[in-house]
Amino acid sequence: MGKYDLRRAGAAELAETLRLGERLIDGELASPEVVATVDAITQMTIWNTGDPISGIFLVVPVTEAGREAVEDGSFNPGDPAVRHIAPANTPVFGVYCGIYAGATREARKSVLMSAGDLRLNAFAAVPTYARGATEDGARSMLALGYRPFEGGLKDLFISDPVSE
């Protein structure tokens, strides 16, 4: 992620990073406490870019039960059940992308490039899910090869596993 100028958000940056995300989607994200807990479990949940912070990337690797919960609509992105979160260095059965957004063109490029790289190089073998919080977000997901997913969380999109 560093090659795209993204860094893991430190404890001191967490609230500011989440506020930026909420402003960009005009909606609520998980609380800093929840995100800090999920990040401690996964060791890769919240990233940002810029100084001042201008981009956010929030990602939750999920267990098999987590993938099923995303697909049946019982996954709670604002406070996911611990059994749904894949701890660092354990098998991942899917990825839930909470947000990837930027306030500037440069930040948007960084988060989009990081999202694509992570998708193709770290999580190609599993499905990736994201919700279309904004029209621009939905368009970008379609451009990245996501498709609408019926039956799960509201406005859910899926990127199927990438075959080699």
Side-chain angles (χ1 to χ4, degrees), residues 4 8 10 13 17 37 46 51 65 68 84 89 93 108 110 133 137 149 151 164:
Y4 302 111
R8 289 247 333 264
E13 299 177 311
T17 302
T37 299
I46 185 158
D51 184 17
E68 291 168 1
H84 293 161
N89 303 311
F93 290 83
R108 285 188 295 275
S110 289
F149 183 87
E164 295 183 23

Side-chain angles (χ1 to χ4, degrees), residues 41-159:
I41 294 168
T42 66
Q43 297 294 298
M44 63 162 308
T45 289
I46 185 158
W47 302 79
N48 64 27
T49 189
D51 184 17
I53 296 169
S54 57
I56 177 175
F57 185 39
L58 187 64
V59 59
V60 181
V62 295
T63 61
E64 187 171 18
R67 184 189 69 216
E68 291 168 1
V70 171
E71 290 185 355
D72 72 19
S74 64
F75 182 79
N76 181 356
D79 192 8
V82 172
R83 73 182 181 283
H84 293 161
I85 304 165
N89 303 311
T90 66
V92 172
F93 290 83
V95 178
Y96 180 81
C97 183
I99 181 175
Y100 58 94
T104 65
R105 186 177 191 281
E106 184 176 301
R108 285 188 295 275
K109 182 179 176 184
S110 289
V111 296
L112 281 171
M113 296 295 289
S114 294
D117 189 286
L118 198 65
R119 176 74 190 113
L120 294 175
N121 294 309
F123 298 117
V126 299
T128 299
Y129 306 90
R131 291 174 64 196
T134 65
E135 283 185 33
D136 283 343
R139 275 194 301 274
S140 77
M141 283 186 285
L142 291 170
L144 290 171
Y146 283 74
R147 63 179 170 78
F149 183 87
E150 298 297 324
L153 298 171
K154 182 179 186 272
D155 300 323
L156 187 66
F157 286 77
I158 184 173
S159 174

